[in-house]
Amino acid sequence: MAYTSWQQGGTSENDQWLVTPALTAAEGFEVSFYLRRFPINFDDNVDIRISTTVQDDPSAFTTIVDELVFTEESSVDWELYSYNITDFVSAGETFYLAFREHVADNVDDGASIMLDNVYYGP
């Protein structure tokens, strides 16, 4: 399980990344994970992004799998997210998957984000 909150991101804004090791795309493979945010009264954002070049440069993560926007009305329950990886990367291609939590104002926004059970396979 990975956990982040507004407290770890910075003095005024958050831009936190968690990146996988190199993976190889295959037909019929998916990436799935559970995500939860808490508490309910703070907005937050989590992007799921792909780089096909390097693991350690945020500007290389140009393929956007999803941009999750959490508002006060969003659930605080664990939610399952699943994506067919070859919708974003060609079979046989090496890639890195990033989870990016970010808010522009961590005084008024930024919840706790919990990520668990990340799976990549058929």
Side-chain angles (χ1 to χ4, degrees), residues 28-71:
F29 274 35
E30 70 172 27
V31 62
S32 64
F33 54 89
Y34 284 88
L35 194 78
R36 179 178 187 229
R37 65 120 195 164
F38 187 84
I40 198 164
N41 52 335
F42 294 100
D43 297 347
D44 215 321
N45 305 283
V46 176
D47 298 347
I48 315 306
R49 296 174 168 252
I50 289 176
S51 166
T52 57
T53 56
V54 296
Q55 180 185 35
D56 57 356
D57 180 1
S59 68
F61 288 84
T62 56
T63 301
I64 298 171
V65 175
D66 206 348
E67 294 176 309
L68 307 172
V69 177
F70 299 102
T71 65

mmCIF file of all heavy atoms in Angstrom, residues 28-71:
data_model
loop_
_atom_site.group_PDB
_atom_site.id
_atom_site.type_symbol
_atom_site.label_atom_id
_atom_site.label_comp_id
_atom_site.label_asym_id
_atom_site.label_seq_id
_atom_site.Cartn_x
_atom_site.Cartn_y
_atom_site.Cartn_z
ATOM 1 N N GLY A 28 -4.154 -8.119 -24.001
ATOM 2 C CA GLY A 28 -4.980 -8.713 -22.958
ATOM 3 C C GLY A 28 -4.524 -8.408 -21.547
ATOM 4 O O GLY A 28 -5.140 -8.859 -20.589
ATOM 5 N N PHE A 29 -3.443 -7.648 -21.397
ATOM 6 C CA PHE A 29 -2.969 -7.290 -20.060
ATOM 7 C C PHE A 29 -3.657 -6.014 -19.603
ATOM 8 O O PHE A 29 -3.932 -5.118 -20.395
ATOM 9 C CB PHE A 29 -1.457 -7.084 -20.049
ATOM 10 C CG PHE A 29 -0.669 -8.345 -19.837
ATOM 11 C CD1 PHE A 29 -1.100 -9.561 -20.345
ATOM 12 C CD2 PHE A 29 0.519 -8.312 -19.145
ATOM 13 C CE1 PHE A 29 -0.370 -10.716 -20.149
ATOM 14 C CE2 PHE A 29 1.255 -9.467 -18.942
ATOM 15 C CZ PHE A 29 0.820 -10.668 -19.441
ATOM 16 N N GLU A 30 -3.925 -5.949 -18.324
ATOM 17 C CA GLU A 30 -4.523 -4.758 -17.731
ATOM 18 C C GLU A 30 -3.682 -4.300 -16.561
ATOM 19 O O GLU A 30 -2.898 -5.063 -15.995
ATOM 20 C CB GLU A 30 -5.939 -5.036 -17.241
ATOM 21 C CG GLU A 30 -5.986 -5.944 -16.023
ATOM 22 C CD GLU A 30 -7.363 -6.078 -15.406
ATOM 23 O OE1 GLU A 30 -8.363 -5.932 -16.114
ATOM 24 O OE2 GLU A 30 -7.428 -6.339 -14.189
ATOM 25 N N VAL A 31 -3.854 -3.039 -16.208
ATOM 26 C CA VAL A 31 -3.357 -2.536 -14.942
ATOM 27 C C VAL A 31 -4.599 -2.208 -14.125
ATOM 28 O O VAL A 31 -5.557 -1.636 -14.630
ATOM 29 C CB VAL A 31 -2.424 -1.314 -15.104
ATOM 30 C CG1 VAL A 31 -3.124 -0.134 -15.733
ATOM 31 C CG2 VAL A 31 -1.824 -0.923 -13.760
ATOM 32 N N SER A 32 -4.591 -2.657 -12.883
ATOM 33 C CA SER A 32 -5.711 -2.360 -11.994
ATOM 34 C C SER A 32 -5.165 -2.053 -10.606
ATOM 35 O O SER A 32 -4.063 -2.464 -10.245
ATOM 36 C CB SER A 32 -6.715 -3.513 -11.959
ATOM 37 O OG SER A 32 -6.125 -4.664 -11.423
ATOM 38 N N PHE A 33 -5.968 -1.318 -9.854
ATOM 39 C CA PHE A 33 -5.558 -0.933 -8.509
ATOM 40 C C PHE A 33 -6.783 -0.421 -7.767
ATOM 41 O O PHE A 33 -7.801 -0.071 -8.369
ATOM 42 C CB PHE A 33 -4.472 0.156 -8.550
ATOM 43 C CG PHE A 33 -4.861 1.362 -9.354
ATOM 44 C CD1 PHE A 33 -5.532 2.428 -8.779
ATOM 45 C CD2 PHE A 33 -4.550 1.427 -10.703
ATOM 46 C CE1 PHE A 33 -5.907 3.523 -9.536
ATOM 47 C CE2 PHE A 33 -4.916 2.523 -11.470
ATOM 48 C CZ PHE A 33 -5.596 3.575 -10.886
ATOM 49 N N TYR A 34 -6.669 -0.396 -6.463
ATOM 50 C CA TYR A 34 -7.678 0.228 -5.614
ATOM 51 C C TYR A 34 -7.145 1.564 -5.145
ATOM 52 O O TYR A 34 -5.951 1.698 -4.817
ATOM 53 C CB TYR A 34 -7.996 -0.652 -4.400
ATOM 54 C CG TYR A 34 -8.860 -1.830 -4.729
ATOM 55 C CD1 TYR A 34 -8.302 -3.037 -5.138
ATOM 56 C CD2 TYR A 34 -10.246 -1.743 -4.642
ATOM 57 C CE1 TYR A 34 -9.101 -4.132 -5.448
ATOM 58 C CE2 TYR A 34 -11.048 -2.824 -4.950
ATOM 59 C CZ TYR A 34 -10.471 -4.008 -5.347
ATOM 60 O OH TYR A 34 -11.263 -5.082 -5.660
ATOM 61 N N LEU A 35 -8.041 2.554 -5.100
ATOM 62 C CA LEU A 35 -7.663 3.891 -4.673
ATOM 63 C C LEU A 35 -8.741 4.428 -3.746
ATOM 64 O O LEU A 35 -9.934 4.180 -3.947
ATOM 65 C CB LEU A 35 -7.531 4.813 -5.895
ATOM 66 C CG LEU A 35 -6.847 6.135 -5.667
ATOM 67 C CD1 LEU A 35 -5.326 5.918 -5.618
ATOM 68 C CD2 LEU A 35 -7.176 7.100 -6.793
ATOM 69 N N ARG A 36 -8.296 5.137 -2.743
ATOM 70 C CA ARG A 36 -9.229 5.760 -1.795
ATOM 71 C C ARG A 36 -8.670 7.115 -1.401
ATOM 72 O O ARG A 36 -7.463 7.282 -1.275
ATOM 73 C CB ARG A 36 -9.351 4.888 -0.547
ATOM 74 C CG ARG A 36 -10.271 5.465 0.499
ATOM 75 C CD ARG A 36 -10.396 4.532 1.695
ATOM 76 N NE ARG A 36 -11.428 5.055 2.586
ATOM 77 C CZ ARG A 36 -11.273 5.215 3.880
ATOM 78 N NH1 ARG A 36 -10.146 4.874 4.467
ATOM 79 N NH2 ARG A 36 -12.252 5.704 4.610
ATOM 80 N N ARG A 37 -9.556 8.066 -1.209
ATOM 81 C CA ARG A 37 -9.129 9.360 -0.679
ATOM 82 C C ARG A 37 -9.961 9.681 0.559
ATOM 83 O O ARG A 37 -11.090 9.222 0.715
ATOM 84 C CB ARG A 37 -9.233 10.444 -1.727
ATOM 85 C CG ARG A 37 -10.637 10.724 -2.163
ATOM 86 C CD ARG A 37 -10.990 12.133 -1.883
ATOM 87 N NE ARG A 37 -12.439 12.280 -1.988
ATOM 88 C CZ ARG A 37 -13.078 13.294 -1.516
ATOM 89 N NH1 ARG A 37 -12.430 14.251 -0.922
ATOM 90 N NH2 ARG A 37 -14.378 13.389 -1.626
ATOM 91 N N PHE A 38 -9.375 10.451 1.463
ATOM 92 C CA PHE A 38 -10.042 10.807 2.711
ATOM 93 C C PHE A 38 -9.350 12.039 3.273
ATOM 94 O O PHE A 38 -8.130 12.161 3.128
ATOM 95 C CB PHE A 38 -9.938 9.635 3.707
ATOM 96 C CG PHE A 38 -10.735 9.841 4.942
ATOM 97 C CD1 PHE A 38 -12.085 9.537 4.976
ATOM 98 C CD2 PHE A 38 -10.136 10.360 6.075
ATOM 99 C CE1 PHE A 38 -12.833 9.749 6.122
ATOM 100 C CE2 PHE A 38 -10.867 10.576 7.218
ATOM 101 C CZ PHE A 38 -12.218 10.260 7.242
ATOM 102 N N PRO A 39 -9.964 12.983 3.883
ATOM 103 C CA PRO A 39 -11.369 13.096 4.216
ATOM 104 C C PRO A 39 -12.184 13.675 3.070
ATOM 105 O O PRO A 39 -11.656 14.125 2.062
ATOM 106 C CB PRO A 39 -11.370 14.037 5.423
ATOM 107 C CG PRO A 39 -10.203 14.940 5.181
ATOM 108 C CD PRO A 39 -9.172 14.068 4.483
ATOM 109 N N ILE A 40 -13.463 13.726 3.290
ATOM 110 C CA ILE A 40 -14.400 14.092 2.236
ATOM 111 C C ILE A 40 -14.365 15.574 1.880
ATOM 112 O O ILE A 40 -14.712 15.965 0.777
ATOM 113 C CB ILE A 40 -15.831 13.649 2.608
ATOM 114 C CG1 ILE A 40 -16.715 13.604 1.376
ATOM 115 C CG2 ILE A 40 -16.410 14.539 3.694
ATOM 116 C CD1 ILE A 40 -17.989 12.842 1.568
ATOM 117 N N ASN A 41 -13.920 16.448 2.764
ATOM 118 C CA ASN A 41 -14.065 17.879 2.539
ATOM 119 C C ASN A 41 -12.881 18.554 1.835
ATOM 120 O O ASN A 41 -12.791 19.770 1.816
ATOM 121 C CB ASN A 41 -14.368 18.604 3.853
ATOM 122 C CG ASN A 41 -13.381 18.274 4.937
ATOM 123 O OD1 ASN A 41 -12.764 17.226 4.914
ATOM 124 N ND2 ASN A 41 -13.236 19.146 5.901
ATOM 125 N N PHE A 42 -11.998 17.781 1.212
ATOM 126 C CA PHE A 42 -10.878 18.359 0.478
ATOM 127 C C PHE A 42 -10.792 17.762 -0.924
ATOM 128 O O PHE A 42 -10.855 16.548 -1.100
ATOM 129 C CB PHE A 42 -9.557 18.116 1.215
ATOM 130 C CG PHE A 42 -9.485 18.836 2.535
ATOM 131 C CD1 PHE A 42 -9.732 18.169 3.714
ATOM 132 C CD2 PHE A 42 -9.185 20.182 2.571
ATOM 133 C CE1 PHE A 42 -9.679 18.829 4.928
ATOM 134 C CE2 PHE A 42 -9.121 20.861 3.786
ATOM 135 C CZ PHE A 42 -9.378 20.182 4.963
ATOM 136 N N ASP A 43 -10.629 18.620 -1.932
ATOM 137 C CA ASP A 43 -10.469 18.172 -3.307
ATOM 138 C C ASP A 43 -9.054 17.645 -3.516
ATOM 139 O O ASP A 43 -8.118 18.046 -2.823
ATOM 140 C CB ASP A 43 -10.713 19.324 -4.277
ATOM 141 C CG ASP A 43 -12.147 19.849 -4.205
ATOM 142 O OD1 ASP A 43 -13.001 19.180 -3.604
ATOM 143 O OD2 ASP A 43 -12.402 20.934 -4.760
ATOM 144 N N ASP A 44 -8.901 16.770 -4.499
ATOM 145 C CA ASP A 44 -7.578 16.237 -4.831
ATOM 146 C C ASP A 44 -7.604 15.710 -6.254
ATOM 147 O O ASP A 44 -8.672 15.526 -6.840
ATOM 148 C CB ASP A 44 -7.165 15.132 -3.857
ATOM 149 C CG ASP A 44 -5.667 15.134 -3.584
ATOM 150 O OD1 ASP A 44 -4.890 15.360 -4.528
ATOM 151 O OD2 ASP A 44 -5.277 14.907 -2.430
ATOM 152 N N ASN A 45 -6.419 15.450 -6.811
ATOM 153 C CA ASN A 45 -6.268 14.954 -8.175
ATOM 154 C C ASN A 45 -5.231 13.847 -8.210
ATOM 155 O O ASN A 45 -4.172 13.966 -7.580
ATOM 156 C CB ASN A 45 -5.779 16.071 -9.104
ATOM 157 C CG ASN A 45 -6.676 17.278 -9.058
ATOM 158 O OD1 ASN A 45 -7.737 17.284 -9.639
ATOM 159 N ND2 ASN A 45 -6.259 18.310 -8.337
ATOM 160 N N VAL A 46 -5.528 12.801 -8.963
ATOM 161 C CA VAL A 46 -4.565 11.730 -9.203
ATOM 162 C C VAL A 46 -4.570 11.445 -10.698
ATOM 163 O O VAL A 46 -5.612 11.144 -11.275
ATOM 164 C CB VAL A 46 -4.911 10.448 -8.416
ATOM 165 C CG1 VAL A 46 -3.935 9.330 -8.766
ATOM 166 C CG2 VAL A 46 -4.893 10.719 -6.919
ATOM 167 N N ASP A 47 -3.397 11.571 -11.316
ATOM 168 C CA ASP A 47 -3.235 11.231 -12.727
ATOM 169 C C ASP A 47 -2.560 9.877 -12.832
ATOM 170 O O ASP A 47 -1.640 9.574 -12.064
ATOM 171 C CB ASP A 47 -2.346 12.242 -13.457
ATOM 172 C CG ASP A 47 -2.917 13.645 -13.471
ATOM 173 O OD1 ASP A 47 -4.113 13.815 -13.134
ATOM 174 O OD2 ASP A 47 -2.162 14.573 -13.819
ATOM 175 N N ILE A 48 -2.987 9.091 -13.820
ATOM 176 C CA ILE A 48 -2.318 7.841 -14.166
ATOM 177 C C ILE A 48 -1.656 8.116 -15.512
ATOM 178 O O ILE A 48 -2.339 8.437 -16.485
ATOM 179 C CB ILE A 48 -3.317 6.666 -14.273
ATOM 180 C CG1 ILE A 48 -4.301 6.660 -13.097
ATOM 181 C CG2 ILE A 48 -2.567 5.352 -14.405
ATOM 182 C CD1 ILE A 48 -3.703 6.668 -11.724
ATOM 183 N N ARG A 49 -0.336 8.010 -15.571
ATOM 184 C CA ARG A 49 0.410 8.407 -16.768
ATOM 185 C C ARG A 49 1.431 7.344 -17.163
ATOM 186 O O ARG A 49 1.857 6.549 -16.324
ATOM 187 C CB ARG A 49 1.144 9.725 -16.533
ATOM 188 C CG ARG A 49 0.200 10.887 -16.296
ATOM 189 C CD ARG A 49 0.969 12.141 -15.922
ATOM 190 N NE ARG A 49 0.099 13.296 -15.981
ATOM 191 C CZ ARG A 49 0.157 14.229 -16.918
ATOM 192 N NH1 ARG A 49 1.060 14.166 -17.871
ATOM 193 N NH2 ARG A 49 -0.681 15.235 -16.913
ATOM 194 N N ILE A 50 1.824 7.394 -18.429
ATOM 195 C CA ILE A 50 2.791 6.433 -18.967
ATOM 196 C C ILE A 50 3.937 7.163 -19.640
ATOM 197 O O ILE A 50 3.726 8.146 -20.357
ATOM 198 C CB ILE A 50 2.116 5.481 -19.978
ATOM 199 C CG1 ILE A 50 1.174 4.518 -19.256
ATOM 200 C CG2 ILE A 50 3.152 4.698 -20.790
ATOM 201 C CD1 ILE A 50 0.388 3.615 -20.167
ATOM 202 N N SER A 51 5.145 6.648 -19.413
ATOM 203 C CA SER A 51 6.335 7.048 -20.162
ATOM 204 C C SER A 51 6.857 5.808 -20.883
ATOM 205 O O SER A 51 6.918 4.728 -20.298
ATOM 206 C CB SER A 51 7.431 7.577 -19.229
ATOM 207 O OG SER A 51 8.674 7.657 -19.913
ATOM 208 N N THR A 52 7.242 5.965 -22.124
ATOM 209 C CA THR A 52 7.861 4.862 -22.873
ATOM 210 C C THR A 52 9.365 5.087 -23.038
ATOM 211 O O THR A 52 10.020 4.354 -23.772
ATOM 212 C CB THR A 52 7.214 4.700 -24.257
ATOM 213 O OG1 THR A 52 7.314 5.939 -24.965
ATOM 214 C CG2 THR A 52 5.754 4.278 -24.127
ATOM 215 N N THR A 53 9.891 6.087 -22.327
ATOM 216 C CA THR A 53 11.319 6.388 -22.473
ATOM 217 C C THR A 53 12.098 6.229 -21.172
ATOM 218 O O THR A 53 13.003 5.404 -21.098
ATOM 219 C CB THR A 53 11.521 7.812 -23.036
ATOM 220 O OG1 THR A 53 10.848 8.757 -22.198
ATOM 221 C CG2 THR A 53 10.977 7.907 -24.458
ATOM 222 N N VAL A 54 11.776 7.037 -20.161
ATOM 223 C CA VAL A 54 12.538 7.010 -18.909
ATOM 224 C C VAL A 54 11.598 6.991 -17.709
ATOM 225 O O VAL A 54 10.445 7.375 -17.802
ATOM 226 C CB VAL A 54 13.506 8.206 -18.792
ATOM 227 C CG1 VAL A 54 14.581 8.151 -19.870
ATOM 228 C CG2 VAL A 54 12.764 9.524 -18.840
ATOM 229 N N GLN A 55 12.165 6.582 -16.591
ATOM 230 C CA GLN A 55 11.397 6.435 -15.356
ATOM 231 C C GLN A 55 11.477 7.668 -14.463
ATOM 232 O O GLN A 55 10.598 7.892 -13.628
ATOM 233 C CB GLN A 55 11.937 5.222 -14.593
ATOM 234 C CG GLN A 55 11.267 4.915 -13.293
ATOM 235 C CD GLN A 55 11.949 3.775 -12.554
ATOM 236 O OE1 GLN A 55 13.160 3.632 -12.610
ATOM 237 N NE2 GLN A 55 11.154 2.971 -11.868
ATOM 238 N N ASP A 56 12.504 8.470 -14.625
ATOM 239 C CA ASP A 56 12.811 9.490 -13.628
ATOM 240 C C ASP A 56 12.686 10.936 -14.119
ATOM 241 O O ASP A 56 13.295 11.830 -13.552
ATOM 242 C CB ASP A 56 14.211 9.255 -13.075
ATOM 243 C CG ASP A 56 15.272 9.244 -14.160
ATOM 244 O OD1 ASP A 56 14.931 9.337 -15.360
ATOM 245 O OD2 ASP A 56 16.464 9.140 -13.805
ATOM 246 N N ASP A 57 11.880 11.173 -15.141
ATOM 247 C CA ASP A 57 11.665 12.532 -15.642
ATOM 248 C C ASP A 57 10.167 12.759 -15.813
ATOM 249 O O ASP A 57 9.558 12.202 -16.729
ATOM 250 C CB ASP A 57 12.388 12.729 -16.970
ATOM 251 C CG ASP A 57 12.209 14.117 -17.543
ATOM 252 O OD1 ASP A 57 11.536 14.967 -16.911
ATOM 253 O OD2 ASP A 57 12.739 14.366 -18.638
ATOM 254 N N PRO A 58 9.554 13.559 -14.945
ATOM 255 C CA PRO A 58 8.105 13.774 -15.045
ATOM 256 C C PRO A 58 7.633 14.237 -16.421
ATOM 257 O O PRO A 58 6.541 13.878 -16.855
ATOM 258 C CB PRO A 58 7.825 14.841 -13.980
ATOM 259 C CG PRO A 58 8.909 14.641 -12.973
ATOM 260 C CD PRO A 58 10.126 14.259 -13.778
ATOM 261 N N SER A 59 8.444 14.986 -17.133
ATOM 262 C CA SER A 59 8.034 15.474 -18.458
ATOM 263 C C SER A 59 7.945 14.354 -19.489
ATOM 264 O O SER A 59 7.356 14.544 -20.557
ATOM 265 C CB SER A 59 8.981 16.574 -18.945
ATOM 266 O OG SER A 59 10.259 16.048 -19.214
ATOM 267 N N ALA A 60 8.497 13.175 -19.191
ATOM 268 C CA ALA A 60 8.436 12.037 -20.120
ATOM 269 C C ALA A 60 7.101 11.291 -20.038
ATOM 270 O O ALA A 60 6.789 10.491 -20.914
ATOM 271 C CB ALA A 60 9.583 11.064 -19.838
ATOM 272 N N PHE A 61 6.303 11.558 -19.021
ATOM 273 C CA PHE A 61 5.033 10.853 -18.822
ATOM 274 C C PHE A 61 3.923 11.590 -19.580
ATOM 275 O O PHE A 61 3.048 12.225 -19.003
ATOM 276 C CB PHE A 61 4.728 10.711 -17.334
ATOM 277 C CG PHE A 61 5.621 9.708 -16.668
ATOM 278 C CD1 PHE A 61 6.880 10.065 -16.219
ATOM 279 C CD2 PHE A 61 5.217 8.387 -16.541
ATOM 280 C CE1 PHE A 61 7.720 9.124 -15.635
ATOM 281 C CE2 PHE A 61 6.050 7.441 -15.965
ATOM 282 C CZ PHE A 61 7.306 7.813 -15.514
ATOM 283 N N THR A 62 3.982 11.464 -20.900
ATOM 284 C CA THR A 62 3.089 12.223 -21.777
ATOM 285 C C THR A 62 1.794 11.493 -22.110
ATOM 286 O O THR A 62 0.838 12.122 -22.553
ATOM 287 C CB THR A 62 3.813 12.584 -23.075
ATOM 288 O OG1 THR A 62 4.295 11.376 -23.690
ATOM 289 C CG2 THR A 62 4.992 13.517 -22.791
ATOM 290 N N THR A 63 1.754 10.187 -21.926
ATOM 291 C CA THR A 63 0.525 9.434 -22.202
ATOM 292 C C THR A 63 -0.337 9.446 -20.948
ATOM 293 O O THR A 63 0.068 8.952 -19.895
ATOM 294 C CB THR A 63 0.841 7.988 -22.622
ATOM 295 O OG1 THR A 63 1.665 8.016 -23.783
ATOM 296 C CG2 THR A 63 -0.429 7.209 -22.895
ATOM 297 N N ILE A 64 -1.539 10.002 -21.079
ATOM 298 C CA ILE A 64 -2.449 10.090 -19.938
ATOM 299 C C ILE A 64 -3.451 8.947 -20.015
ATOM 300 O O ILE A 64 -4.236 8.850 -20.956
ATOM 301 C CB ILE A 64 -3.171 11.446 -19.917
ATOM 302 C CG1 ILE A 64 -2.139 12.568 -19.771
ATOM 303 C CG2 ILE A 64 -4.196 11.487 -18.783
ATOM 304 C CD1 ILE A 64 -2.703 13.954 -19.942
ATOM 305 N N VAL A 65 -3.396 8.068 -19.030
ATOM 306 C CA VAL A 65 -4.338 6.959 -18.929
ATOM 307 C C VAL A 65 -5.653 7.457 -18.333
ATOM 308 O O VAL A 65 -6.734 7.145 -18.818
ATOM 309 C CB VAL A 65 -3.744 5.807 -18.080
ATOM 310 C CG1 VAL A 65 -4.756 4.702 -17.863
ATOM 311 C CG2 VAL A 65 -2.466 5.280 -18.726
ATOM 312 N N ASP A 66 -5.555 8.241 -17.273
ATOM 313 C CA ASP A 66 -6.747 8.805 -16.638
ATOM 314 C C ASP A 66 -6.331 9.988 -15.777
ATOM 315 O O ASP A 66 -5.201 10.046 -15.284
ATOM 316 C CB ASP A 66 -7.444 7.757 -15.771
ATOM 317 C CG ASP A 66 -8.934 8.008 -15.582
ATOM 318 O OD1 ASP A 66 -9.407 9.106 -15.928
ATOM 319 O OD2 ASP A 66 -9.622 7.098 -15.094
ATOM 320 N N GLU A 67 -7.246 10.925 -15.626
ATOM 321 C CA GLU A 67 -7.072 12.056 -14.725
ATOM 322 C C GLU A 67 -8.251 12.025 -13.756
ATOM 323 O O GLU A 67 -9.360 12.379 -14.119
ATOM 324 C CB GLU A 67 -7.037 13.367 -15.502
ATOM 325 C CG GLU A 67 -5.828 13.479 -16.414
ATOM 326 C CD GLU A 67 -5.829 14.736 -17.258
ATOM 327 O OE1 GLU A 67 -6.855 15.003 -17.921
ATOM 328 O OE2 GLU A 67 -4.805 15.436 -17.249
ATOM 329 N N LEU A 68 -7.986 11.561 -12.557
ATOM 330 C CA LEU A 68 -9.030 11.414 -11.549
ATOM 331 C C LEU A 68 -9.137 12.702 -10.748
ATOM 332 O O LEU A 68 -8.151 13.188 -10.207
ATOM 333 C CB LEU A 68 -8.706 10.241 -10.626
ATOM 334 C CG LEU A 68 -8.415 8.903 -11.328
ATOM 335 C CD1 LEU A 68 -7.924 7.873 -10.328
ATOM 336 C CD2 LEU A 68 -9.652 8.417 -12.046
ATOM 337 N N VAL A 69 -10.335 13.250 -10.712
ATOM 338 C CA VAL A 69 -10.593 14.490 -9.980
ATOM 339 C C VAL A 69 -11.548 14.161 -8.843
ATOM 340 O O VAL A 69 -12.663 13.689 -9.075
ATOM 341 C CB VAL A 69 -11.196 15.563 -10.906
ATOM 342 C CG1 VAL A 69 -11.515 16.824 -10.114
ATOM 343 C CG2 VAL A 69 -10.254 15.862 -12.068
ATOM 344 N N PHE A 70 -11.103 14.407 -7.633
ATOM 345 C CA PHE A 70 -11.911 14.129 -6.453
ATOM 346 C C PHE A 70 -12.398 15.444 -5.860
ATOM 347 O O PHE A 70 -11.604 16.343 -5.595
ATOM 348 C CB PHE A 70 -11.108 13.346 -5.421
ATOM 349 C CG PHE A 70 -10.631 12.017 -5.928
ATOM 350 C CD1 PHE A 70 -9.312 11.847 -6.342
ATOM 351 C CD2 PHE A 70 -11.500 10.953 -6.033
ATOM 352 C CE1 PHE A 70 -8.871 10.631 -6.816
ATOM 353 C CE2 PHE A 70 -11.071 9.731 -6.520
ATOM 354 C CZ PHE A 70 -9.751 9.566 -6.908
ATOM 355 N N THR A 71 -13.706 15.544 -5.650
ATOM 356 C CA THR A 71 -14.324 16.717 -5.049
ATOM 357 C C THR A 71 -14.999 16.301 -3.749
ATOM 358 O O THR A 71 -15.004 15.118 -3.393
ATOM 359 C CB THR A 71 -15.364 17.335 -6.006
ATOM 360 O OG1 THR A 71 -16.427 16.400 -6.176
ATOM 361 C CG2 THR A 71 -14.741 17.680 -7.358
#
